[in-house]
Amino acid sequence: MANLLNLQTTTFLPTPHSLRHTFSPQLPTHLRTTTTTTTRIRAKIREIFMPALSSTMTEGKIVSWIKSEGEKLAKGDSVVVVESDKADMDVETFYDGFLAKIIVDEGSVAPVGSAIALLAESEAEIADAIAKALDTKTPNSNSGSSTGSGLDTVENNEVPPPSPGMAVMEKEKEEKSSVSDHPASEGGKRVVASPYAKKLGKELGVDLRGVVGSGPQGRIVAKDVEAAAAAAKAEVEVAPKSAPVSDTTVELGKTVPFTTMQNAVSRNMVESLSVPTFRVGYTITTDALDALYKKVKSKGVTMTALLAKATALALVKHPVVNSSCRDGKSFTYNSHINVAVAVAMDGGLLTPVLQDADKVDIYTLSRKWKELVDKARAKQLQPQEYNTGTFTLSNLGMFGVDRFDAILPPGTGAIMAVGASQPTVVASKDGRIGMKNQMQVNVTADHRVIYGADLAAFLQTLARIIEDPKDLTL
Amino acid sequence: MQSSLSLSLSSSSSSITPKPNHTFDFSPCLTKPLNLNLRFCGLRREALSLSTTHPRVKLPCRRFPSCISAALSTNGSSPKTFDYDLLVIGAGVGGHGAALHAVEKGLKTAIIEGDVMGGTCVNRGCVPSKALLAVSGRMRELQNEQHLKSFGIQVGAANYDRQGVADHANNLASKIRGNLTNSLKALGVDILTGFGTILGPQKVQFGKDNIVTAKDIIIATGSVPFVPKGIEVDGKTVITSDHALKLETVPDWIAIVGSGYIGLEFSDVYTALGSEVTFIEALDQLMPGFDPEISKLAQRVLINPRKIDYHTGVFATKITPARDGKPVTIELTDAKTKKPKDTLEVDTALIATGRAPYTQGLGLENINVVTQRGFVPVDERMRVVDANGKLVPNLYCIGDANGKMMLAHAASAQGISVVEQVSGKDHILNHLSIPAACFTHPEISMVGLTEPQAREKAEKEGFEVSVAKTSFKANSKALAENEAEGLAKLIYRPDNGEILGVHIFGLHAADLIHEASNAIAMGTSLQDLKFTVHAHPTLSEVIDELYKAAKVNAHVSSPVKEPVAV
């Protein structure tokens, strides 16, 4: 498979010493250690090109980078896997050096002959190579000053200075990690993480040293890493309720500035005050729904999907509840029924959207939901997957909350707060007393467009669907 | 049907410094060129098909009076008669294969078994592991939503019942064991129950005080899992393949020591059932026994995307089972510097460092045979060699006990070769024609030399080596199955068209290899193979592509050089 790499030697202009200095602290520690290099006359940086693996190949797709940035390469090492028209091929390097910068990421396509990465001859030159890479990205810049601006870009984009909020979070984590006592962690000096947790940590860019393990003996497992990633990166779209209170230790008496996430929540909450809302509640018997859930649970159907489906079917009959008013002068009957469901994450709140919930069958809906939650955890939700909701569901039933009311997310007509389904003593019309599972729902709506009777009718329909849920699985 | 138990490459003639885990405390003697210790296990077709009638059954051979065989046995100087013409010690796949062929050749045959019929392969090896791998393959398919989606299939969440999976493996083993026992009985092979010990030439004791004599004796006692020093096996949290095949637990995190066949197959099973796996490999690279290109691709498909991480270039020097609420602890030592490197705590550790011959108590001292690392020394005809380097008359050793190629089907082939010899026809088995397979998803298979081995040989003997490759991505059937990840590789001599080795990684690789192994066994040259026809669209066209891609300079089909036995 020895597909050679088209390497081109370029003589790189020596960068001002001072510039390199400002840059080097950004490098990982193991690189920094060797920056005490002797004076160099010029740096040697080679470009790695997309090779032509067959006579017909015009472009190649990067399947995966076998080496990562900063890694040492020896002649003959496979560096990258390239997919040609016929097969995946390993591309090997003909030179020793360090993979300084990957220019074309995994999954991207590059024409044959274009540079896909930079190879530095020594560790110290990695910085130069990165600067060069940025230089090539900004074509209208020239030499000295542009290199400087390139460095600025790196500082701003790749290594954002930790915000005060982040610092607090990190501090909390440290405190927590010192509490965890894995027998082998030697008081937190060592990281004990399962193979998948390590892999995820690398993928999601989570430093495992700051993660608290919940596995056996305090081992870090995949879900801990996912939670840490979500906490660090979660974005907030709407915040009808606050995130669940975590049992983290906080410093009492100290004023803490908002994190980006908290800022977003705050902004949304204040904005919601400009909308005149009102609330209507309803009690729904869920015996039939519970029975149905038990039946279809094995097929991967979740309660969330069932509720979303029932809500969507009710919305079909009451388009006004699915409408939205943005300017206060007119309102839109939305053509799609997109049910957003509030999801609490560690330190954040997201509302993934089940699009066309009225049309999609319950099994697909459940799978879609699982996919959305997975994506939300990995912070890979696309904008249309969290901001296209036309109606929002918020369910605190799993925490034993029997009733609550939600704040209406701006830009939508209504939000429904769902409480726990609980066994309740019920008197029936024929004078009997019986036990039924009942849950309370409470809808908050924009009274500019949705009136009391609208919600009442909607809730009646919803109750009828939930109490006789056979349509849900059609 | 054949399948694997484990593999270890005892570094062939070259001087690679670190050795695989299982050999590290052995002296590096006895390595012959190309001595691939493929520790591996398989079952011959016959073992299965014999439950039905087989042409061989009709042979009236076993009715021969024993005096005839006695007359055949010597030149008349010892007019002694024997209880049997052929006695096999060990009823594994090797002994079974030998016994069946002996019956066909008209020999009065008996087989001694001190444990359960079927040996490692049937009871604790390839057969039950294939049952587990069948489950893991299906789980993988059902869990791979993207894959199913690309077919347009929708399936709910897949789940499994551990006991059900374990029962499947156990039931399969007992079924095959029954088939194997019945096939021997039906042919009139006497099954002698008890531990066999050689008392002297042509004389064996079994059980407490039963003594039988036989004109020729085959040792086929097989092997047991090899556990390196410092590792304490408790059968619950520190286990070998013997325990793992019972699938009594599915741990959250399992460390697998050794990344050969056994380790690789178990990683496939455990990750499909939800475990996370850490490999510990003594060599610098995972899957050291495979062709480098194949192992590179295999790592990309079987290791990297799965919940597996690994430590290479380290020995697991001490493993302590879980007790007193503490997890299993594994001490890792750098293979080169011999300094402690790391400590792991896991839920379970599986020792898959290869297999050690089971030859203790066999009474070899009675005939002046000294084992080497436990293996019985033999020549190329499987004749046992004694301490003075002389052949022991009428005594043969096949299978894992001689360590030439630790595969069930290799043992069986060696047994057949021995029977050919004792019935008067010289025969040397060409080990380079014996295929091997690893039943991961997708599978890996190989026959003959790896590319580095071939190049080494070529340099020594002064010929050229060429390599032809093809991808499963170009195969219609593989694309239809949405399983286009795979590579097939042919190593050959461009001057005469001889196949030196074939390596396949991809869908049903284990079934595809036989075309190549048969070609090697028959000495068919590529010039002739180019004209063979393969049905379209089938996976076998991958092999067809290889044959057609080979560029042979010789225009005339010339007989291929005699196969070389190893």
Side-chain angles (χ1 to χ4, degrees), chain B residues 7-164:
Chain B
L7 151 107
S8 70
L9 173 70
S10 76
S11 63
S12 53
S13 58
S14 64
S15 58
I16 306 164
T17 37
K19 310 197 118 265
N21 256 330
H22 68 282
T23 52
F24 70 89
D25 57 349
F26 295 150
S27 61
C29 63
L30 196 84
T31 45
K32 299 165 190 167
L34 317 173
N35 179 9
L36 251 185
N37 276 357
L38 291 172
R39 301 179 175 193
F40 185 86
C41 167
L43 187 62
R44 290 177 60 222
R45 274 183 75 89
E46 286 90 330
L48 280 178
S49 60
L50 266 164
S51 53
T52 60
T53 16
H54 194 279
R56 283 179 191 172
V57 180
K58 291 166 194 148
L59 291 173
C61 37
R62 67 189 170 88
R63 302 285 171 222
F64 277 31
S66 54
C67 57
I68 291 184
S69 62
L72 284 170
S73 66
T74 56
N75 53 13
S77 62
S78 87
K80 192 178 160 193
T81 58
F82 296 99
D83 297 333
Y84 294 101
D85 298 324
L86 182 69
L87 180 66
V88 185
I89 307 175
V93 170
H96 177 251
L100 292 191
H101 196 62
V103 170
E104 185 176 319
K105 288 285 169 189
L107 305 178
K108 188 184 182 200
T109 310
I111 195 160
I112 295 180
E113 178 56 59
D115 190 23
V116 283
M117 296 293 290
T120 297
C121 172
V122 172
N123 300 293
R124 298 174 300 272
C126 20
V127 168
S129 70
K130 287 311 87 52
L132 299 184
L133 282 158
V135 175
S136 82
R138 281 170 176 79
M139 282 300 287
R140 263 180 212 297
E141 235 170 89
L142 293 173
Q143 286 166 344
N144 190 342
E145 275 178 49
Q146 257 183 321
H147 190 243
L148 292 170
K149 218 184 205 171
S150 63
F151 281 118
I153 297 177
Q154 297 178 348
V155 182
N159 224 324
Y160 69 92
D161 156 38
R162 185 200 52 78
Q163 193 54 49

Side-chain angles (χ1 to χ4, degrees), chain B residues 230-391:
Chain B
I231 297 179
E232 186 188 335
V233 171
D234 71 345
K236 297 225 155 51
T237 57
V238 179
I239 59 177
T240 66
S241 56
D242 288 1
H243 312 105
L245 288 166
K246 292 182 190 149
L247 203 73
E248 277 166 0
T249 54
V250 177
D252 289 342
W253 184 0
I254 183 166
I256 300 181
V257 185
S259 65
Y261 285 63
I262 304 181
L264 212 52
E265 289 193 355
F266 275 112
S267 79
D268 195 280
V269 171
Y270 279 115
T271 51
L273 299 184
S275 302
E276 296 179 30
V277 170
T278 295
F279 269 122
I280 297 166
E281 171 59 52
L283 292 181
D284 287 337
Q285 201 191 333
L286 289 177
M287 298 172 259
F290 299 88
D291 184 90
E293 211 168 324
I294 296 287
S295 69
K296 210 189 304 177
L297 181 62
Q299 177 165 347
R300 199 176 300 145
V301 176
L302 302 176
I303 309 278
N304 295 349
R306 298 183 181 173
K307 295 177 179 176
I308 300 176
D309 71 349
Y310 49 85
H311 299 262
T312 53
V314 290
F315 293 128
T317 33
K318 188 161 189 277
I319 302 186
T320 320
R323 57 169 79 101
D324 309 329
K326 281 190 192 152
V328 177
T329 51
I330 303 175
E331 283 176 23
L332 299 182
T333 303
D334 192 289
K336 281 185 193 121
T337 63
K338 310 287 178 211
K339 283 189 186 134
K341 201 168 174 193
D342 209 345
T343 307
L344 298 178
E345 288 86 16
V346 296
D347 300 319
T348 302
L350 168 64
I351 313 306
T353 44
R355 300 188 60 87
Y358 183 58
T359 50
Q360 269 197 334
L362 195 51
L364 291 169
E365 61 284 351
N366 300 336
I367 42 168
N368 192 28
V369 171
V370 179
T371 60
Q372 294 175 336
R373 301 182 307 171
F375 293 109
V376 177
V378 292
D379 72 349
E380 61 182 8
R381 290 178 173 82
M382 310 303 141
R383 295 179 291 195
V384 175
V385 179
D386 72 9
N388 306 322
K390 287 203 184 110
L391 293 177

Side-chain angles (χ1 to χ4, degrees), chain B residues 490-514:
Chain B
L490 165 72
I491 301 153
Y492 64 101
R493 281 181 67 156
D495 56 342
N496 61 9
E498 178 190 352
I499 299 178
L500 300 170
V502 173
H503 303 265
I504 310 175
F505 174 78
L507 186 63
H508 296 307
D511 294 313
L512 293 175
I513 197 70
H514 298 96

Side-chain angles (χ1 to χ4, degrees), chain A residues 266-321:
Chain A
S266 168
R267 230 180 6 256
N268 270 316
M269 292 304 91
V270 172
E271 197 186 327
S272 73
L273 288 178
S274 63
V275 178
T277 55
F278 75 114
R279 292 154 184 88
V280 176
Y282 207 100
T283 301
I284 302 175
T285 302
T286 59
D287 288 321
L289 185 72
D290 294 341
L292 175 72
Y293 176 56
K294 227 174 246 166
K295 235 168 40 191
V296 294
K297 195 177 171 185
S298 61
K299 293 172 187 161
V301 174
T302 60
M303 189 46 105
T304 304
L306 282 172
L307 284 173
K309 182 74 185 171
T311 307
L313 290 180
L315 287 171
V316 174
K317 297 191 176 134
H318 303 276
V320 71
V321 182

